[in-house]
Amino acid sequence: MKKLKGMQDIVDDKYLYFIKIASDIAEKYGFKFIKTPILEETILFKRSAGDSSDIVNKEMYDFIDKSNNAISLRPEGTAGTIRYFLENGFDKLKQKEKLYYYGSMFRFEKPQKGRFREFNQFGCESIGEGSIYEDISIIKMITEIFEELKIKYKLKINYLGCPSCIKEYKPTLVEFLNKQNDLCEDCQNRLIKNPLRVLDCKIDSTKPFFKEIPLLKDNLCKECSNTFEETKRLLELFNIDYEIDNNLVRGLDYYNGLVFEFTSNELGAQDAICGGGRYDYLIESLNGKKTSAIGFGIGIERVMELLTVNNVQEDIYYIGGLNNYCIEEVIKIGFKLRKKYKTIIEYNAKSFSKLINLAEKNKCNKFILIGEEELKNNSIRVKDLNTKEEIIIKKGDL
Ligand code: HAM
């Protein structure tokens, strides 16, 4: 039996290491953990990610269950989190909720390097907070996660404005695009369903007409234009480097205002490691009370690709004995070590060279050998397998 195309088994310490770092930082920023169901009603995704998005249009794992309900595997985490918020009436209570989640998302995409059909996201949603300082705080938090992981990134931002900016801009854009006769097939469809998506088309953006395309930034209302300027000023105030990408529109329909993406230049074509932005109108569009919100999702597999063993290295002990009569002592010390460190205990007596080989094979960096001498002297010899340094300690000092 084989796993399905675009799906994978993750057997890698980097996964939990990432979750730990990201969750710790999210909690310091006041987020609490939520686990939403992996299955939700299809209509939830249609009405949030949007009918015109590729995710809903082409990539949903949707099916009819045995009770005839139209359900889907979640393609992203925002929709379920917002459904939870609404189902509990937090919009009516004007309650602010800061939630983080991680887990599998499903998109029926063409698998390639960095793009899977089942992939994992770590995401945060700050619901009910409209302050511009929250935008900065969210971006600062993401930079802290990547910095803690020692990952190099580039931050790109854009400003989509409010519904009235988009209403003004759309006809200008459509009029311009209608005059072009070499739009790619996808963009011809986008022109009808969601013309803004033409802006981040990888094919059309290389064509000459693209240099003339009307930009959102020139069509923002006074208030949005001021807020964008203020956002940039605050990013600079807090020493957050960014680039403006006038064509960044994001692939989901719910965004407005600030949108952003973090990319890495070490990943090839699928270089986005995080994407997010404001979605102040989504809750209202799902029949809730108007509630501001902002969030992001990090692609865990892509981040894991960037983590080297050195990023993740923690002390791992390997302990073994030279003779059978040493083994119970080995186990005693091993149990003690396990209170604090990951420890692999070898139950069978083996030679020094065999034990060292096993320690290296198991990627351990600390090695303890118990032989006759150690038993006699009540001592423990600890070898650091990276630096080759050795220390001898008294058993009682462990
Ligand atoms: P997204 O940009 O669709 O946004 O996904 C976020 C991240 O998930 C991407 O930057 C990428 O790293 C990763 N990703 C997406 N698709 C795949 C795939 N097929 N294989 C591997 N990794 C992938 C969202 O999903 C929004 N819900 C983010 C958000 C939260 N916006 C506001 N709140």
Side-chain angles (χ1 to χ4, degrees):
M1 272 188 244
K2 282 188 178 165
K3 57 187 174 311
L4 294 173
K5 195 172 161 189
M7 315 234 159
Q8 47 176 350
D9 303 303
I10 299 179
V11 190
D12 191 333
D13 291 348
K14 290 178 196 165
Y15 182 85
L16 288 178
Y17 177 75
F18 167 78
I19 297 295
K20 186 173 179 321
I21 299 277
S23 309
D24 278 357
I25 294 177
E27 295 208 2
K28 291 200 178 95
Y29 273 75
F31 286 83
K32 63 180 184 204
F33 179 67
I34 181 170
K35 193 201 155 303
T36 63
I38 289 175
L39 282 169
E40 300 266 3
E41 282 186 284
T42 301
I43 188 80
L44 172 68
F45 302 117
K46 285 199 170 162
R47 287 183 56 191
S48 50
D51 259 340
S52 66
S53 67
D54 285 352
I55 293 178
V56 166
N57 246 330
K58 305 189 207 158
E59 298 165 2
M60 290 263 279
Y61 275 89
D62 47 357
F63 51 95
I64 304 294
D65 72 7
K66 291 192 174 79
S67 307
N68 244 351
N69 298 314
I71 57 173
S72 296
L73 290 171
R74 62 182 183 196
E76 55 108 46
T78 311
T81 312
I82 294 302
R83 194 256 320 122
Y84 157 81
F85 183 83
L86 279 169
E87 200 172 339
N88 287 282
F90 295 146
D91 55 326
K92 293 182 193 77
L93 299 171
K94 292 196 166 48
Q95 188 163 317
K96 292 180 184 174
E97 284 285 306
K98 291 176 78 159
L99 301 160
Y100 76 92
Y101 51 85
Y102 54 84
S104 295
M105 309 291 159
F106 301 83
R107 296 183 191 175
F108 197 81
E109 297 193 81
K110 198 163 178 229
Q112 62 181 86
K113 185 174 176 288
R115 189 198 265 171
F116 309 99
R117 287 183 172 170
E118 180 183 7
F119 62 99
N120 288 270
Q121 267 187 4
F122 177 92
C124 285
E125 312 295 345
S126 172
I127 315 165
E129 182 54 83
S131 166
I132 188 172
Y133 295 121
E134 188 66 354
D135 299 30
I136 305 299
S137 176
I138 289 269
I139 290 188
K140 175 87 179 112
M141 177 177 137
I142 304 166
T143 65
E144 277 181 22
I145 293 176
F146 291 143
E147 274 153 27
E148 184 67 28
L149 296 167
K150 301 184 186 74
I151 285 178
K152 289 200 199 85
Y153 60 84
K154 202 194 272 174
L155 164 62
K156 294 193 232 169
I157 61 167
N158 194 17
Y159 206 80
L160 301 184
C162 61
S164 69
C165 302
I166 302 280
K167 210 167 138 199
E168 288 278 310
Y169 171 63
K170 245 187 201 167
T172 319
L173 178 68
V174 170
E175 194 189 324
F176 174 87
L177 293 173
N178 270 329
K179 287 187 201 141
Q180 314 309 323
N181 46 20
D182 54 345
L183 284 183
C184 75
E185 208 181 310
D186 274 346
C187 282
Q188 287 175 27
N189 286 327
R190 287 176 185 140
L191 188 53
I192 302 158
K193 286 189 163 171
N194 187 358
L196 256 71
R197 287 299 317 279
V198 176
L199 290 177
D200 69 0
C201 172
K202 291 221 159 69
I203 301 169
D204 284 344
S205 60
T206 58
K207 295 178 182 165
F209 79 79
F210 213 79
K211 293 194 183 80
E212 312 286 316
I213 205 163
L215 295 174
L216 250 162
K217 74 173 171 75
D218 302 321
N219 291 268
L220 293 180
C221 69
K222 186 100 196 89
E223 204 185 326
C224 286
S225 171
N226 288 344
T227 313
F228 192 29
E229 287 310 309
E230 189 59 1
T231 307
K232 291 189 265 180
R233 187 186 70 78
L234 288 170
L235 287 172
E236 281 150 36
L237 179 72
F238 292 103
N239 298 319
I240 300 171
D241 289 335
Y242 66 89
E243 269 175 28
I244 295 185
D245 181 345
N246 289 317
N247 297 327
L248 180 68
V249 287
R250 310 270 305 124
L252 298 129
D253 289 0
Y254 46 64
Y255 293 109
N256 68 280
L258 183 71
V259 287
F260 53 83
E261 246 168 41
F262 286 75
T263 58
S264 157
N265 58 15
E266 290 166 44
L267 286 178
Q270 302 304 317
D271 63 351
I273 48 176
C274 171
R278 273 222 162 262
Y279 53 95
D280 297 325
Y281 301 90
L282 174 61
I283 291 175
E284 204 179 353
S285 77
L286 295 172
N287 303 339
K289 265 195 153 50
K290 169 136 191 340
T291 309
S292 301
I294 178 166
F296 67 87
I298 294 179
I300 302 181
E301 285 80 359
R302 294 185 192 172
V303 167
M304 283 167 61
E305 181 81 24
L306 296 170
L307 291 177
T308 60
V309 175
N310 293 340
N311 296 90
V312 184
Q313 188 71 62
E314 52 166 344
D315 282 339
I316 308 177
Y317 281 81
Y318 190 91
I319 177 163
L322 288 175
N323 310 296
N324 281 337
Y325 56 81
C326 302
I327 295 302
E328 284 179 10
E329 187 62 14
V330 163
I331 293 173
K332 243 190 233 168
I333 297 170
F335 283 173
K336 206 164 177 190
L337 279 169
R338 277 181 178 163
K339 290 195 191 297
K340 194 154 178 211
Y341 301 103
K342 183 166 166 180
T343 305
I344 297 176
I345 305 175
E346 176 54 57
Y347 297 147
N348 297 309
K350 289 189 193 304
S351 70
F352 172 79
S353 60
K354 277 203 174 128
L355 287 169
I356 276 264
N357 279 345
L358 282 168
E360 280 167 354
K361 206 169 148 196
N362 282 288
K363 301 198 171 67
C364 298
N365 59 341
K366 298 278 198 282
F367 177 70
I368 297 180
L369 181 75
I370 304 294
E372 199 178 334
E373 198 188 316
E374 284 76 16
L375 282 186
K376 204 166 72 199
N377 301 334
N378 254 335
S379 64
I380 300 173
R381 193 187 291 263
V382 186
K383 189 177 172 102
D384 186 309
L385 295 179
N386 293 334
T387 62
K388 310 289 175 220
E389 249 173 78
E390 239 185 45
I391 54 163
I392 299 174
I393 55 167
K394 280 273 156 226
K395 209 175 101 188
D397 294 340
L398 183 73

